[in-house]
């Protein structure tokens, strides 16, 4: 019987700079998904790569005074090194400077041109080089790129255009018929309204620089870098030469990308495929951003985190676990060193590490380290065994539904239950009575068997940890040969001789100087509070003017899943749109807020509430007995008007 297949991709990253923890996030998630599907018996093809052409790279190389090829070669080598350090097991790595990719891109361009969907004209408009994106004037925000906020450049040149607009209706129809195509749902809604607001034909060639793949019918042009990059997903399956490979793997099951490049993957890419008459990928999943102190990481802000440094300090699995567990998959999440240490200590050192440690210590003490034959069992033993035995299939369902952090939560529920089981069954008491020796055998067998299952289900996410547990359990069957089917209860053989070793996750002690820094930080804050204290409770006009209050129009309002107090609002501030999360769900229905003109504190530091970014705060009057009313103005006041 043919194995089920799974083709999964990450974005191909720009080697304009070294990768940071945000890039590591996407690739770690993808690697864990790939490893899980392999473990579940599916045939997996997992592809990543590098997006090496375009103006941005050419400029970066020029700044260094070296040839673009030499420049990208060096950085791509560092990508591969990072993936090795992170234990990423990809099946193919596509570099867009490879001949196989040139051929694929030129073939795609020529086919679409021959079909009449690419035509020559002149482009005059705005271009954001860091994002390699064309923008029409009315999408700019304050004259800057709406995606990254950086300045755009005016470009005017002869170009080839791709008739995106021709396919808009077909694409909308596809999205409607295949709700799984764009995930999560919020991104689908964004994309649908983007398409409905009208698609412009896309400029797909440039003439003002030459670091790119030449247009096959016109050597003066190079192909637009996104047209080039997206095609990598076909290059990886042997397009255009290897029909068998393509038939085997195309269409992709999941393109995993960050939310900022959803437009390219769910509008441009499917339309290229429609023009080629190729099937569309089954799912494009746009995950959220990893933020640093609630702000996007970027080199220019100086807040990028180098994953190699973290791996050296904390070990690869602590990083992998933190990324996948801490961030609700699909939403933005915060990176901080402190959160990383707390997660590692709580979940890995305490919950998992101690479970292994205490189980094997007791086994050494009571049975000389050898797993006993289970005997009679109680209701509690049976319940525990059932929950443990269902873990593999439960995680499989969650992973198939791309519910990544829920899968980890399910595994740690088992770890939590096992620790509780130790306390409930108290083997240290059972050992004392002759009559409870049978029960002791059952309890100790159950604990080691549970750890066997944990090792198996943890390994796709934390490969080194799975292996370390396996070694300490002393099971001689090769771990690599184990599959999802082996996670059913009862696979452990009585008589197995365990080999207790060092703790798999030693607790991370907060360093003295870090402690000191924290103390200093606290002191500073305290001092600042005293300094800021108003005289006789009064503030100056300057103090008040620090607070930027403006009129905002509510564009959209919805409840925040899992938080019955919170509403998530999209508001228009006149010069920009923002998201604000507010604790008003008990007082207002989302529908009654749309169109309302409220007052918002515009210059408040962004915060993450229940995984949602909140960029501002709204004003409301409230009474001690819980009445609440939003402060609002009439429709005569335009959005953005200053309140003072
Ligand atoms: N080269 C394009 C992608 C072409 S795919 C056909 C590109 N490259 S990139 O180097 O800018 O990488 C962007 C991707 O890196 C994001 O979509 C996301 O997968 C990942 N991330 C970069 N920064 C990130 C965070 N701060 N948080 C989460 N993911 C991040 O765009």
């Amino acid at each position: 019987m043919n194995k089920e297949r799974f083709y999964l991709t990450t974005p191909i990253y720009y080697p304009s700079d070294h990768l940071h923890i945000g890039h590591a996030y996407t690739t770690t998630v993808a690697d864990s998904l790939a490893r899980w599907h392999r473990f579940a018996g599916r045939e997996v093809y997992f592809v990543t790569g590098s997006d090496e052409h375009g103006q941005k790279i050419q400029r970066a190389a020029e700044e260094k005074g070296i040839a673009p090829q030499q420049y990208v070669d060096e950085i791509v080598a560092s990508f591969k090194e990072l993936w090795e350090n992170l234990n990423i097991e990809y099946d193919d790595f596509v570099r867009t400077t490879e001949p196989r990719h040139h051929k694929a891109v030129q073939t795609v361009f020529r086919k679409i041109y021959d079909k009449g969907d690419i035509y020559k004209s002149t482009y005059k408009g705005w271009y954001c080089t860091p994002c390699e994106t064309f923008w029409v004037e009315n999408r700019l925000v304050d004259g800057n790129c709406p995606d990254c906020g950086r300045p755009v450049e005016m470009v005017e040149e002869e170009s080839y255009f791709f008739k995106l607009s021709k396919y808009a209706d077909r694409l909308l129809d596809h999205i409607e018929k295949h709700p799984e195509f764009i995930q999560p749902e919020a991104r689908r809604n964004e994309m649908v309204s983007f398409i409905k607001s009208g698609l412009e034909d896309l400029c797909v060639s440039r003439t003002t620089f030459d670091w790119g793949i030449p247009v096959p019918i016109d050597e003066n042009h190079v192909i637009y870098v996104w047209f080039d990059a997206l095609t990598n997903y076909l290059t990886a399956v042997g397009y255009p030469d290897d029909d068998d490979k393509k038939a085997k793997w195309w269409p992709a099951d999941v393109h995993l990308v960050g939310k900022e490049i959803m437009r390219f993957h769910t509008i441009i890419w499917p339309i290229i495929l429609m023009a080629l008459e190729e099937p569309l990928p089954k799912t494009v999943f746009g995950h959220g951003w990893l933020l640093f102190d609630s702000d996007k990481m970027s080199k220019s802000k100086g807040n990028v985190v180098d994953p190699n440094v973290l791996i050296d300090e904390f070990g690869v699995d602590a990083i992998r676990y933190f990324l996948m567990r801490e961030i609700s998959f699909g939403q933005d999440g915060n990176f901080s060193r402190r959160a990383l240490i707390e997660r590692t200590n709580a979940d890995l050192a305490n919950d998992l590490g101690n479970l292994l440690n205490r189980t094997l210590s007791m086994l050494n003490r009571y049975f000389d380290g050898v797993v006993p034959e289970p005997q009679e069992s109680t209701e509690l033993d049976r319940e525990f065994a059932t929950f443990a035995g269902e873990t593999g299939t439960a995680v499989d369902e969650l992973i198939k539904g791309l519910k990544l952090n829920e899968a980890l939560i399910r595994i740690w529920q088992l770890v939590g239950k096992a620790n509780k089981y130790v306390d409930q069954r108290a083997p240290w008491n059972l050992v004392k009575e002759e009559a409870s020796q049978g029960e002791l055998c059952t309890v100790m067998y159950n604990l080691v068997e549970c750890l066997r299952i944990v090792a198996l289900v943890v390994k796709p996410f934390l490969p080194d940890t799975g292996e370390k547990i396996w070694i300490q359990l002393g099971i001689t069957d090769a771990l690599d040969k184990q599959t999802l089917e082996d996670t059913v209860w009862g696979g452990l053989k009585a008589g197995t001789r365990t080999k207790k070793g060092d703790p798999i996750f030693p607790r991370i002690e907060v360093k003295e100087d870090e402690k000191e820094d924290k103390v200093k930080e606290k002191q500073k804050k305290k001092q600042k509070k005293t300094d800021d204290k108003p005289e006789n409770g009064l503030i100056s006009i300057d103090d008040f003017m620090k607070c930027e209050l403006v009129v905002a129009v509510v564009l959209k309002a919805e409840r925040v899943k899992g938080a019955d107090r919170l509403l998530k609002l999209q508001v228009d501030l006149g010069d920009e749109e923002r998201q604000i999360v507010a604790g008003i769900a008990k007082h207002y229905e989302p529908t009654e807020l749309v169109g309302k003109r409220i007052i918002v504190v515009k210059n408040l530091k962004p915060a993450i509430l229940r995984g949602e970014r909140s960029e501002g705060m709204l004003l409301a009057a409230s009474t001690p007995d819980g009445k609440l009313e939003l402060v609002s103005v009439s429709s005569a006041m335009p959005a953005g008007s200053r309140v003072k």
Side-chain angles (χ1 to χ4, degrees), residues 10-14 19-20 22-23 25-26 51 56 226 229-230 232-233 256-261 265 287-291 296-297:
T10 72
I12 51 171
Y13 305 108
Y14 290 127
L19 298 178
H20 58 64
H23 304 100
Y25 173 60
T26 316
D51 184 359
K56 175 159 65 169
W226 270 100
L230 289 161
N232 94 86
Y233 302 130
L256 181 64
V257 301
K259 64 181 180 182
E260 81 291 356
I261 56 173
H265 284 81
H287 65 67
W289 284 337
L290 198 58
L291 306 171
K296 179 134 202 253
M297 271 178 220

mmCIF file of all heavy atoms in Angstrom, residues 10-14 19-20 22-23 25-26 51 56 226 229-230 232-233 256-261 265 287-291 296-297, ligand 1:
data_model
loop_
_atom_site.group_PDB
_atom_site.id
_atom_site.type_symbol
_atom_site.label_atom_id
_atom_site.label_comp_id
_atom_site.label_asym_id
_atom_site.label_seq_id
_atom_site.Cartn_x
_atom_site.Cartn_y
_atom_site.Cartn_z
ATOM 1 N N THR A 10 9.187 25.736 4.074
ATOM 2 C CA THR A 10 9.330 27.010 4.807
ATOM 3 C C THR A 10 9.540 28.085 3.741
ATOM 4 O O THR A 10 9.808 27.756 2.586
ATOM 5 C CB THR A 10 10.577 27.025 5.718
ATOM 6 O OG1 THR A 10 11.742 27.114 4.874
ATOM 7 C CG2 THR A 10 10.663 25.807 6.600
ATOM 8 N N PRO A 11 9.474 29.361 4.132
ATOM 9 C CA PRO A 11 9.898 30.376 3.166
ATOM 10 C C PRO A 11 11.379 30.151 2.860
ATOM 11 O O PRO A 11 12.096 29.556 3.673
ATOM 12 C CB PRO A 11 9.735 31.694 3.923
ATOM 13 C CG PRO A 11 8.883 31.391 5.105
ATOM 14 C CD PRO A 11 9.098 29.955 5.432
ATOM 15 N N ILE A 12 11.814 30.613 1.715
ATOM 16 C CA ILE A 12 13.271 30.591 1.498
ATOM 17 C C ILE A 12 13.754 31.972 1.935
ATOM 18 O O ILE A 12 13.225 32.986 1.516
ATOM 19 C CB ILE A 12 13.640 30.226 0.047
ATOM 20 C CG1 ILE A 12 12.886 31.077 -0.970
ATOM 21 C CG2 ILE A 12 13.367 28.746 -0.198
ATOM 22 C CD1 ILE A 12 13.397 30.897 -2.397
ATOM 23 N N TYR A 13 14.719 31.986 2.832
ATOM 24 C CA TYR A 13 15.084 33.243 3.504
ATOM 25 C C TYR A 13 16.086 34.043 2.679
ATOM 26 O O TYR A 13 16.881 33.482 1.922
ATOM 27 C CB TYR A 13 15.663 32.932 4.889
ATOM 28 C CG TYR A 13 14.714 32.091 5.726
ATOM 29 C CD1 TYR A 13 14.988 30.747 5.997
ATOM 30 C CD2 TYR A 13 13.520 32.626 6.202
ATOM 31 C CE1 TYR A 13 14.106 29.971 6.739
ATOM 32 C CE2 TYR A 13 12.633 31.852 6.953
ATOM 33 C CZ TYR A 13 12.932 30.531 7.206
ATOM 34 O OH TYR A 13 12.058 29.761 7.938
ATOM 35 N N TYR A 14 16.042 35.360 2.862
ATOM 36 C CA TYR A 14 16.989 36.241 2.164
ATOM 37 C C TYR A 14 18.348 36.154 2.840
ATOM 38 O O TYR A 14 18.448 36.406 4.053
ATOM 39 C CB TYR A 14 16.554 37.706 2.289
ATOM 40 C CG TYR A 14 15.323 38.084 1.527
ATOM 41 C CD1 TYR A 14 14.258 38.716 2.176
ATOM 42 C CD2 TYR A 14 15.226 37.877 0.158
ATOM 43 C CE1 TYR A 14 13.121 39.105 1.489
ATOM 44 C CE2 TYR A 14 14.083 38.264 -0.542
ATOM 45 C CZ TYR A 14 13.036 38.875 0.132
ATOM 46 O OH TYR A 14 11.916 39.256 -0.540
ATOM 47 N N LEU A 19 20.497 34.957 9.935
ATOM 48 C CA LEU A 19 19.141 34.669 10.409
ATOM 49 C C LEU A 19 19.032 34.926 11.907
ATOM 50 O O LEU A 19 20.014 34.801 12.636
ATOM 51 C CB LEU A 19 18.801 33.210 10.119
ATOM 52 C CG LEU A 19 18.808 32.834 8.628
ATOM 53 C CD1 LEU A 19 18.493 31.351 8.456
ATOM 54 C CD2 LEU A 19 17.811 33.671 7.840
ATOM 55 N N HIS A 20 17.825 35.262 12.344
ATOM 56 C CA HIS A 20 17.626 35.456 13.778
ATOM 57 C C HIS A 20 16.604 34.447 14.308
ATOM 58 O O HIS A 20 16.134 33.574 13.582
ATOM 59 C CB HIS A 20 17.268 36.915 14.105
ATOM 60 C CG HIS A 20 16.034 37.447 13.417
ATOM 61 N ND1 HIS A 20 14.787 36.938 13.658
ATOM 62 C CD2 HIS A 20 15.876 38.447 12.512
ATOM 63 C CE1 HIS A 20 13.899 37.605 12.936
ATOM 64 N NE2 HIS A 20 14.527 38.518 12.220
ATOM 65 N N GLY A 22 13.552 34.617 14.910
ATOM 66 C CA GLY A 22 12.274 34.599 14.193
ATOM 67 C C GLY A 22 12.300 33.602 13.034
ATOM 68 O O GLY A 22 11.354 32.840 12.821
ATOM 69 N N HIS A 23 13.399 33.603 12.275
ATOM 70 C CA HIS A 23 13.525 32.638 11.181
ATOM 71 C C HIS A 23 13.619 31.220 11.751
ATOM 72 O O HIS A 23 13.065 30.265 11.209
ATOM 73 C CB HIS A 23 14.768 32.920 10.338
ATOM 74 C CG HIS A 23 14.833 34.312 9.773
ATOM 75 N ND1 HIS A 23 15.593 35.294 10.343
ATOM 76 C CD2 HIS A 23 14.203 34.880 8.720
ATOM 77 C CE1 HIS A 23 15.461 36.414 9.651
ATOM 78 N NE2 HIS A 23 14.604 36.191 8.660
ATOM 79 N N TYR A 25 12.250 30.170 14.309
ATOM 80 C CA TYR A 25 10.905 29.748 14.740
ATOM 81 C C TYR A 25 10.200 28.986 13.609
ATOM 82 O O TYR A 25 9.764 27.840 13.797
ATOM 83 C CB TYR A 25 10.100 30.991 15.157
ATOM 84 C CG TYR A 25 8.652 30.708 15.470
ATOM 85 C CD1 TYR A 25 8.315 29.825 16.489
ATOM 86 C CD2 TYR A 25 7.616 31.302 14.749
ATOM 87 C CE1 TYR A 25 6.985 29.556 16.784
ATOM 88 C CE2 TYR A 25 6.291 31.042 15.041
ATOM 89 C CZ TYR A 25 5.984 30.159 16.059
ATOM 90 O OH TYR A 25 4.675 29.883 16.345
ATOM 91 N N THR A 26 10.085 29.615 12.439
ATOM 92 C CA THR A 26 9.386 28.957 11.322
ATOM 93 C C THR A 26 10.013 27.599 11.017
ATOM 94 O O THR A 26 9.313 26.597 10.835
ATOM 95 C CB THR A 26 9.486 29.812 10.036
ATOM 96 O OG1 THR A 26 9.236 31.164 10.356
ATOM 97 C CG2 THR A 26 8.528 29.330 8.977
ATOM 98 N N ASP A 51 16.723 32.691 -0.760
ATOM 99 C CA ASP A 51 16.165 33.550 -1.811
ATOM 100 C C ASP A 51 17.230 34.597 -2.124
ATOM 101 O O ASP A 51 17.324 35.612 -1.439
ATOM 102 C CB ASP A 51 14.897 34.195 -1.219
ATOM 103 C CG ASP A 51 14.141 35.042 -2.204
ATOM 104 O OD1 ASP A 51 14.576 35.159 -3.352
ATOM 105 O OD2 ASP A 51 13.095 35.596 -1.802
ATOM 106 N N LYS A 56 17.893 44.103 -3.074
ATOM 107 C CA LYS A 56 18.373 44.188 -1.694
ATOM 108 C C LYS A 56 19.727 43.478 -1.538
ATOM 109 O O LYS A 56 20.654 43.995 -0.938
ATOM 110 C CB LYS A 56 17.321 43.532 -0.784
ATOM 111 C CG LYS A 56 17.748 43.450 0.636
ATOM 112 C CD LYS A 56 16.629 43.286 1.601
ATOM 113 C CE LYS A 56 15.845 41.991 1.489
ATOM 114 N NZ LYS A 56 14.958 41.842 2.646
ATOM 115 N N TRP A 226 10.168 38.041 -6.317
ATOM 116 C CA TRP A 226 9.126 37.194 -5.716
ATOM 117 C C TRP A 226 8.624 36.145 -6.705
ATOM 118 O O TRP A 226 8.287 35.023 -6.314
ATOM 119 C CB TRP A 226 7.961 38.044 -5.195
ATOM 120 C CG TRP A 226 8.175 38.448 -3.771
ATOM 121 C CD1 TRP A 226 8.629 39.650 -3.326
ATOM 122 C CD2 TRP A 226 7.988 37.625 -2.610
ATOM 123 N NE1 TRP A 226 8.735 39.630 -1.954
ATOM 124 C CE2 TRP A 226 8.345 38.407 -1.488
ATOM 125 C CE3 TRP A 226 7.570 36.311 -2.398
ATOM 126 C CZ2 TRP A 226 8.282 37.927 -0.184
ATOM 127 C CZ3 TRP A 226 7.505 35.835 -1.103
ATOM 128 C CH2 TRP A 226 7.859 36.635 -0.016
ATOM 129 N N ALA A 229 11.294 33.635 -6.476
ATOM 130 C CA ALA A 229 11.357 32.912 -5.197
ATOM 131 C C ALA A 229 10.220 31.899 -5.047
ATOM 132 O O ALA A 229 10.435 30.757 -4.628
ATOM 133 C CB ALA A 229 11.311 33.901 -4.048
ATOM 134 N N LEU A 230 9.012 32.314 -5.386
ATOM 135 C CA LEU A 230 7.862 31.420 -5.169
ATOM 136 C C LEU A 230 8.010 30.131 -5.971
ATOM 137 O O LEU A 230 7.578 29.054 -5.538
ATOM 138 C CB LEU A 230 6.558 32.145 -5.543
ATOM 139 C CG LEU A 230 6.159 33.263 -4.561
ATOM 140 C CD1 LEU A 230 5.160 34.229 -5.198
ATOM 141 C CD2 LEU A 230 5.579 32.665 -3.275
ATOM 142 N N ASN A 232 10.410 28.353 -6.260
ATOM 143 C CA ASN A 232 11.271 27.343 -5.623
ATOM 144 C C ASN A 232 10.476 26.112 -5.200
ATOM 145 O O ASN A 232 10.998 25.004 -5.151
ATOM 146 C CB ASN A 232 12.015 27.949 -4.433
ATOM 147 C CG ASN A 232 11.293 27.735 -3.118
ATOM 148 O OD1 ASN A 232 11.460 26.712 -2.461
ATOM 149 N ND2 ASN A 232 10.432 28.677 -2.739
ATOM 150 N N TYR A 233 9.188 26.327 -4.901
ATOM 151 C CA TYR A 233 8.386 25.193 -4.428
ATOM 152 C C TYR A 233 8.180 24.162 -5.548
ATOM 153 O O TYR A 233 7.941 22.991 -5.269
ATOM 154 C CB TYR A 233 7.034 25.694 -3.903
ATOM 155 C CG TYR A 233 7.150 26.713 -2.785
ATOM 156 C CD1 TYR A 233 6.447 27.922 -2.823
ATOM 157 C CD2 TYR A 233 7.962 26.471 -1.684
ATOM 158 C CE1 TYR A 233 6.544 28.859 -1.797
ATOM 159 C CE2 TYR A 233 8.072 27.406 -0.651
ATOM 160 C CZ TYR A 233 7.369 28.595 -0.712
ATOM 161 O OH TYR A 233 7.478 29.515 0.307
ATOM 162 N N LEU A 256 4.387 26.782 5.018
ATOM 163 C CA LEU A 256 4.378 27.480 6.306
ATOM 164 C C LEU A 256 5.136 28.790 6.132
ATOM 165 O O LEU A 256 6.291 28.781 5.702
ATOM 166 C CB LEU A 256 5.077 26.601 7.341
ATOM 167 C CG LEU A 256 5.139 27.159 8.749
ATOM 168 C CD1 LEU A 256 3.744 27.302 9.329
ATOM 169 C CD2 LEU A 256 5.983 26.253 9.635
ATOM 170 N N VAL A 257 4.490 29.909 6.444
ATOM 171 C CA VAL A 257 5.131 31.222 6.248
ATOM 172 C C VAL A 257 4.751 32.161 7.386
ATOM 173 O O VAL A 257 3.783 31.920 8.103
ATOM 174 C CB VAL A 257 4.706 31.876 4.897
ATOM 175 C CG1 VAL A 257 5.070 30.998 3.718
ATOM 176 C CG2 VAL A 257 3.222 32.214 4.878
ATOM 177 N N GLY A 258 5.489 33.256 7.508
ATOM 178 C CA GLY A 258 5.112 34.305 8.455
ATOM 179 C C GLY A 258 3.960 35.110 7.869
ATOM 180 O O GLY A 258 3.792 35.173 6.650
ATOM 181 N N LYS A 259 3.183 35.739 8.744
ATOM 182 C CA LYS A 259 1.956 36.395 8.279
ATOM 183 C C LYS A 259 2.216 37.529 7.279
ATOM 184 O O LYS A 259 1.363 37.846 6.467
ATOM 185 C CB LYS A 259 1.163 36.926 9.474
ATOM 186 C CG LYS A 259 1.877 38.007 10.267
ATOM 187 C CD LYS A 259 1.028 38.466 11.441
ATOM 188 C CE LYS A 259 1.741 39.546 12.219
ATOM 189 N NZ LYS A 259 0.996 39.996 13.384
ATOM 190 N N GLU A 260 3.439 38.130 7.333
ATOM 191 C CA GLU A 260 3.685 39.296 6.472
ATOM 192 C C GLU A 260 3.847 38.902 5.006
ATOM 193 O O GLU A 260 3.812 39.764 4.137
ATOM 194 C CB GLU A 260 4.902 40.090 6.976
ATOM 195 C CG GLU A 260 6.280 39.559 6.569
ATOM 196 C CD GLU A 260 6.673 38.243 7.213
ATOM 197 O OE1 GLU A 260 5.917 37.723 8.062
ATOM 198 O OE2 GLU A 260 7.738 37.715 6.849
ATOM 199 N N ILE A 261 4.046 37.611 4.719
ATOM 200 C CA ILE A 261 4.206 37.240 3.310
ATOM 201 C C ILE A 261 3.055 36.358 2.827
ATOM 202 O O ILE A 261 3.180 35.622 1.866
ATOM 203 C CB ILE A 261 5.592 36.595 3.029
ATOM 204 C CG1 ILE A 261 5.853 35.368 3.909
ATOM 205 C CG2 ILE A 261 6.700 37.611 3.241
ATOM 206 C CD1 ILE A 261 7.134 34.623 3.527
ATOM 207 N N HIS A 265 1.912 34.465 -1.000
ATOM 208 C CA HIS A 265 1.637 33.020 -1.061
ATOM 209 C C HIS A 265 0.186 32.670 -1.342
ATOM 210 O O HIS A 265 -0.110 31.546 -1.751
ATOM 211 C CB HIS A 265 2.083 32.356 0.253
ATOM 212 C CG HIS A 265 3.566 32.187 0.329
ATOM 213 N ND1 HIS A 265 4.405 33.208 0.696
ATOM 214 C CD2 HIS A 265 4.361 31.123 0.049
ATOM 215 C CE1 HIS A 265 5.658 32.780 0.651
ATOM 216 N NE2 HIS A 265 5.657 31.514 0.263
ATOM 217 N N HIS A 287 1.832 32.030 10.184
ATOM 218 C CA HIS A 287 1.966 32.128 11.642
ATOM 219 C C HIS A 287 2.271 33.567 12.058
ATOM 220 O O HIS A 287 2.578 34.420 11.228
ATOM 221 C CB HIS A 287 3.032 31.159 12.154
ATOM 222 C CG HIS A 287 4.423 31.477 11.686
ATOM 223 N ND1 HIS A 287 5.099 32.593 12.078
ATOM 224 C CD2 HIS A 287 5.257 30.804 10.844
ATOM 225 C CE1 HIS A 287 6.288 32.605 11.519
ATOM 226 N NE2 HIS A 287 6.406 31.535 10.748
ATOM 227 N N GLY A 288 2.188 33.805 13.367
ATOM 228 C CA GLY A 288 2.413 35.164 13.879
ATOM 229 C C GLY A 288 3.897 35.470 14.021
ATOM 230 O O GLY A 288 4.752 34.653 13.670
ATOM 231 N N TRP A 289 4.181 36.635 14.541
ATOM 232 C CA TRP A 289 5.569 37.057 14.709
ATOM 233 C C TRP A 289 6.055 36.810 16.113
ATOM 234 O O TRP A 289 5.295 36.929 17.080
ATOM 235 C CB TRP A 289 5.703 38.549 14.457
ATOM 236 C CG TRP A 289 5.655 38.921 13.032
ATOM 237 C CD1 TRP A 289 5.942 38.133 11.948
ATOM 238 C CD2 TRP A 289 5.287 40.195 12.502
ATOM 239 N NE1 TRP A 289 5.790 38.840 10.792
ATOM 240 C CE2 TRP A 289 5.395 40.104 11.098
ATOM 241 C CE3 TRP A 289 4.900 41.399 13.073
ATOM 242 C CZ2 TRP A 289 5.113 41.172 10.273
ATOM 243 C CZ3 TRP A 289 4.623 42.458 12.242
ATOM 244 C CH2 TRP A 289 4.738 42.342 10.858
ATOM 245 N N LEU A 290 7.324 36.550 16.174
ATOM 246 C CA LEU A 290 7.997 36.491 17.444
ATOM 247 C C LEU A 290 8.448 37.912 17.727
ATOM 248 O O LEU A 290 9.202 38.500 16.951
ATOM 249 C CB LEU A 290 9.195 35.577 17.261
ATOM 250 C CG LEU A 290 9.836 35.005 18.467
ATOM 251 C CD1 LEU A 290 8.815 34.221 19.244
ATOM 252 C CD2 LEU A 290 10.951 34.068 18.047
ATOM 253 N N LEU A 291 7.957 38.463 18.822
ATOM 254 C CA LEU A 291 8.283 39.855 19.141
ATOM 255 C C LEU A 291 9.327 39.891 20.243
ATOM 256 O O LEU A 291 9.483 38.927 20.987
ATOM 257 C CB LEU A 291 7.023 40.588 19.600
ATOM 258 C CG LEU A 291 5.845 40.519 18.633
ATOM 259 C CD1 LEU A 291 4.597 41.075 19.295
ATOM 260 C CD2 LEU A 291 6.154 41.259 17.352
ATOM 261 N N LYS A 296 8.536 44.224 16.892
ATOM 262 C CA LYS A 296 9.064 43.313 15.873
ATOM 263 C C LYS A 296 10.592 43.350 15.909
ATOM 264 O O LYS A 296 11.187 44.404 16.072
ATOM 265 C CB LYS A 296 8.553 43.740 14.500
ATOM 266 C CG LYS A 296 9.081 42.849 13.400
ATOM 267 C CD LYS A 296 8.049 42.413 12.411
ATOM 268 C CE LYS A 296 8.506 41.155 11.705
ATOM 269 N NZ LYS A 296 8.908 41.351 10.328
ATOM 270 N N MET A 297 11.191 42.165 15.760
ATOM 271 C CA MET A 297 12.651 42.143 15.737
ATOM 272 C C MET A 297 13.153 42.687 14.433
ATOM 273 O O MET A 297 12.645 42.320 13.374
ATOM 274 C CB MET A 297 13.125 40.692 15.804
ATOM 275 C CG MET A 297 13.308 40.203 17.177
ATOM 276 S SD MET A 297 13.813 38.505 17.166
ATOM 277 C CE MET A 297 12.860 37.932 18.539
HETATM 278 N N1 LIG B 1 12.591 35.658 0.795
HETATM 279 C C1 LIG B 1 11.288 35.904 1.310
HETATM 280 C C2 LIG B 1 10.458 34.646 1.312
HETATM 281 C C3 LIG B 1 10.277 34.010 -0.017
HETATM 282 S S1 LIG B 1 9.362 32.534 0.109
HETATM 283 C C4 LIG B 1 9.036 32.127 -1.467
HETATM 284 C C5 LIG B 1 11.401 36.447 2.716
HETATM 285 N N2 LIG B 1 12.525 36.160 3.378
HETATM 286 S S2 LIG B 1 12.871 36.624 4.878
HETATM 287 O O1 LIG B 1 14.267 36.292 5.074
HETATM 288 O O2 LIG B 1 12.502 37.962 5.095
HETATM 289 O O3 LIG B 1 12.058 35.675 5.797
HETATM 290 C C6 LIG B 1 10.744 35.987 6.205
HETATM 291 C C7 LIG B 1 10.214 34.845 7.031
HETATM 292 O O4 LIG B 1 11.072 34.592 8.153
HETATM 293 C C8 LIG B 1 8.862 35.118 7.655
HETATM 294 O O5 LIG B 1 7.810 34.907 6.754
HETATM 295 C C9 LIG B 1 8.879 34.123 8.800
HETATM 296 O O6 LIG B 1 8.695 32.839 8.320
HETATM 297 C C10 LIG B 1 10.308 34.256 9.290
HETATM 298 N N3 LIG B 1 10.459 35.343 10.241
HETATM 299 C C11 LIG B 1 11.284 36.419 10.139
HETATM 300 N N4 LIG B 1 11.161 37.176 11.264
HETATM 301 C C12 LIG B 1 10.267 36.618 12.090
HETATM 302 C C13 LIG B 1 9.771 36.924 13.367
HETATM 303 N N5 LIG B 1 10.175 37.967 14.061
HETATM 304 N N6 LIG B 1 8.843 36.093 13.884
HETATM 305 C C14 LIG B 1 8.398 34.985 13.227
HETATM 306 N N7 LIG B 1 8.842 34.682 12.019
HETATM 307 C C15 LIG B 1 9.787 35.464 11.431
HETATM 308 O O7 LIG B 1 10.450 37.046 3.182
#
